[in-house]
Amino acid sequence: MLRAAADFASYPGLHSDDTVRQFLERCPLPKLLGALQSEEDVPGMVETVTECLDKIFSSRYGASLLPNYGAFIQAGLLTDSKQIRKLACKAVLHLLDKVETVVLYPLLIKCLIEGDEEISAIILDTVKRLAQIPKGAEVIFPKVAAQSSSLARIRILSLIAKLFTVSSYTATAIRDSNLLSIFEEEIKDRRDMLKTLSALEVLYELVEHPHSNIFLLKTNLLQLIIDIINDSSADSVIRSRAALVSGRLLSSVTNLLIAIGRILKNTDEIESALETLGLIGTTSQGAHFLLTNVARHVVESSFDRQGRGRQLAALHAFGNICGVGRQELDSEAEENLKRLVYTTAANSPKLTPSALLLSVLQQDPDVRIAGYRVITGLVIREWCLREVCLNSEIIRFVTDETTKLGMETRYGCCVAINKALSSSHLLHEASLSELVGKLNDAVKRGPYLSDREARPVVDTAERF
């Protein structure tokens, strides 16, 4: 049998299904597997039989037999023999669309952590291919996230980087499984130079992927990299690698923004492009990038009534960029934002930011709700607060509107204005005393205007 197995394994290419079937008639599969469990010390037997079995399982007919030998694969993943473990890892590749993969997956991760580079490479390829099949990501990510030992981390990070190449779906699953936090933990703890450098090396590979920037900008990784670059006490090698990571990431972001800028010129795709910019603008770093590049399109489209869908998408993106749900921007981004708003107003028939904002509130309820979000984000700035407070019609909408749709959003806007005003020197201006009282009263009444009955409001065509 050993001679026949050696001849079969030495064949340079893949065997046909008929050849594999004929060979197994002479050397049955149970007998070959039994040889691997034999206690006989026959020189070269394990190597020969595992190579033979690898040829068998690589054929379609041989792979079809694997579901009957799950116990062997499971035992093979646990064995100390490198040859048998390598064979078992390869065998899992042929079970990717079978339920057995769910059971074997934790053992694969164990082999990834404990195996040598050759076995780890096989497993990385296996998991990458698993991520490409239906429901494969559901098997992968919860299991990987549970691995947190220091020994596992770098290999897990390598696995994450490889999975990012599969598709935006797997990248989303990685983010949703909180796996990117492993990078944050490794980079944040700079007491172990080798550990930090290894994490940065893998991150450098990850940021090469075209869709990585959108996900990384929604984490603390960019800020951590900036902290390393600014840390004069950090090792120069680590600072250099951090700089390279930031360069690749920012280059990718710049290319992304340029590409989106081109899409903004295509009327068929402009809404999805604006939504993408809104996602980027949810973080301070993302908003900063937008305000130095393509945010002008967002601001201008927010007040352009030529297309309702486009205006809605722009208003929601603008709300994200100006800061709904996050902290303020840095001074440079703040100045860019102010200049964009005033320039857009000056180039429009409305001439002032307050008139632009009022024009949004005078539209249909969906657009008005999006406008409330924009004002909520903008009003923390003194210049915008003044524009809003000096326009009685804006305050009337914010405090008196009783349209049922979007009452919570309207109330949130009212609270934001009142809060910004309470900490501003505008609070003490005599001309605004009536407005202050009106805002306080509206805040006390709550979102549903407890002392009034909400009623539907129908706007006439003449109003527009």
Side-chain angles (χ1 to χ4, degrees):
M1 183 191 72
L2 190 59
R3 182 181 296 276
D7 292 340
F8 188 85
S10 63
Y11 184 75
L14 293 176
H15 290 285
S16 67
D17 287 347
D18 288 339
T19 302
V20 173
R21 188 179 289 105
Q22 292 170 8
F23 175 77
L24 290 178
E25 288 175 356
R26 291 185 290 119
C27 300
L29 192 53
K31 190 173 182 179
L32 289 168
L33 295 175
L36 295 179
Q37 300 172 339
S38 173
E39 296 182 358
E40 293 184 43
D41 187 14
V42 179
M45 182 176 70
V46 172
E47 291 82 355
T48 300
V49 174
T50 52
E51 289 178 19
C52 174
L53 288 170
D54 186 27
K55 291 279 188 180
I56 293 172
F57 296 147
S58 296
S59 70
R60 185 166 53 183
Y61 174 72
S64 70
L65 303 176
L66 278 172
N68 300 321
Y69 294 93
F72 160 73
I73 298 175
Q74 188 168 354
L77 292 172
L78 293 170
T79 186
D80 293 331
S81 169
K82 176 185 174 180
Q83 289 82 9
I84 297 177
R85 183 180 290 195
K86 179 180 173 182
L87 173 65
C89 290
K90 287 186 175 182
V92 176
L93 277 171
H94 307 294
L95 285 171
L96 290 182
D97 59 346
K98 304 293 191 302
V99 69
E100 287 86 348
T101 307
V102 178
V103 178
L104 297 173
Y105 188 74
L107 300 180
L108 275 181
I109 297 301
K110 180 179 173 62
C111 291
L112 172 70
I113 295 169
E114 299 177 355
D116 59 16
E117 291 187 7
E118 187 177 10
I119 288 178
S120 295
I122 295 171
I123 295 171
L124 289 174
D125 184 50
T126 302
V127 176
K128 181 179 176 181
R129 289 172 60 179
L130 177 60
Q132 295 173 303
I133 68 173
K135 296 186 178 181
E138 296 178 11
V139 176
I140 296 172
F141 298 113
K143 302 286 186 184
V144 177
Q147 301 293 336
S148 58
S149 68
S150 58
L151 178 63
R153 286 177 183 266
I154 293 302
R155 285 183 174 175
I156 293 299
L157 294 182
S158 297
L159 173 60
I160 292 171
K162 290 186 180 297
L163 291 175
F164 249 81
T165 66
V166 175
S167 67
S168 59
Y169 170 76
T170 56
T172 301
I174 287 171
R175 180 200 64 191
D176 293 344
S177 297
N178 200 33
L179 292 177
L180 292 177
S181 64
I182 301 177
F183 279 102
E184 294 182 23
E185 292 167 9
E186 295 296 281
I187 294 172
K188 187 186 302 182
D189 182 11
R190 300 205 292 274
R191 291 172 297 181
D192 187 333
M193 174 182 166
L194 181 59
K195 182 177 70 172
T196 302
L197 186 59
S198 298
L200 288 171
E201 292 282 357
V202 179
L203 184 61
Y204 184 69
E205 297 175 15
L206 189 149
V207 297
E208 185 178 15
H209 308 321
H211 46 261
S212 65
N213 43 63
I214 295 178
F215 299 98
L216 294 182
L217 286 174
K218 298 176 78 68
T219 69
N220 295 322
L221 280 169
L222 182 56
Q223 186 58 54
L224 289 174
I225 292 169
I226 293 172
D227 291 343
I228 291 176
I229 296 173
N230 289 331
D231 185 0
S232 59
S233 65
D235 188 275
S236 60
V237 176
I238 291 179
R239 293 175 68 188
S240 298
R241 178 53 63 183
L244 288 173
V245 171
S246 66
R248 177 170 280 184
L249 176 60
L250 296 181
S251 172
S252 180
V253 170
T254 301
N255 292 334
L256 171 69
L257 295 180
I258 292 173
I260 292 176
R262 295 193 189 101
I263 294 177
L264 289 170
K265 300 176 182 177
N266 186 333
T267 55
D268 295 331
E269 301 173 350
I270 189 171
E271 289 183 29
S272 60
L274 289 167
E275 290 174 7
T276 301
L277 294 178
L279 289 173
I280 297 174
T282 55
T283 65
S284 298
Q285 295 96 332
H288 177 83
F289 291 130
L290 295 180
L291 288 167
T292 57
N293 289 277
V294 298
R296 176 177 61 85
H297 298 285
V298 177
V299 178
E300 292 176 352
S301 297
S302 294
F303 304 104
D304 184 354
R305 298 173 64 173
Q306 297 302 312
R308 181 179 181 278
R310 179 175 65 181
Q311 185 181 14
L312 268 175
L315 284 168
H316 283 290
F318 190 20
N320 289 346
I321 292 169
C322 65
V324 176
R326 63 161 167 73
Q327 296 179 348
E328 297 181 39
L329 301 166
D330 60 32
S331 57
E332 179 186 359
E334 286 287 355
E335 186 58 35
N336 288 339
L337 175 60
K338 180 180 178 180
R339 184 172 60 252
L340 277 175
V341 173
Y342 275 98
T343 301
T344 301
N347 292 334
S348 76
K350 303 301 180 181
L351 298 180
T352 64
S354 63
L356 275 183
L357 294 171
L358 177 61
S359 71
V360 172
L361 299 185
Q362 290 172 332
Q363 296 180 55
D364 66 78
D366 286 335
V367 175
R368 187 156 60 248
I369 290 170
Y372 285 140
R373 285 189 76 250
V374 170
I375 295 174
T376 300
L378 281 175
V379 80
I380 60 174
R381 298 154 178 92
E382 184 81 14
W383 59 266
C384 184
L385 180 62
R386 178 175 291 276
E387 292 281 346
V388 169
C389 290
L390 293 180
N391 193 311
S392 59
E393 277 295 290
I394 292 178
I395 299 302
R396 183 184 67 80
F397 269 102
V398 170
T399 58
D400 293 340
E401 184 190 0
T402 55
T403 306
K404 289 184 178 180
L405 183 63
M407 295 184 78
E408 295 89 348
T409 308
R410 177 207 60 80
Y411 180 71
C413 182
C414 182
V415 171
I417 296 173
N418 194 52
K419 181 179 179 181
L421 191 57
S422 66
S423 58
S424 168
H425 66 82
L426 294 175
L427 181 66
H428 305 294
E429 292 193 10
S431 61
L432 298 179
S433 59
E434 183 179 346
L435 175 146
V436 172
K438 196 172 185 179
L439 284 168
N440 286 332
D441 182 55
V443 170
K444 290 176 182 177
R445 291 202 308 268
Y448 303 108
L449 306 174
S450 58
D451 62 341
R452 300 183 185 182
E453 181 181 356
R455 61 184 184 278
V457 173
V458 179
D459 292 317
T460 62
E462 288 79 2
R463 187 174 182 181
F464 301 100

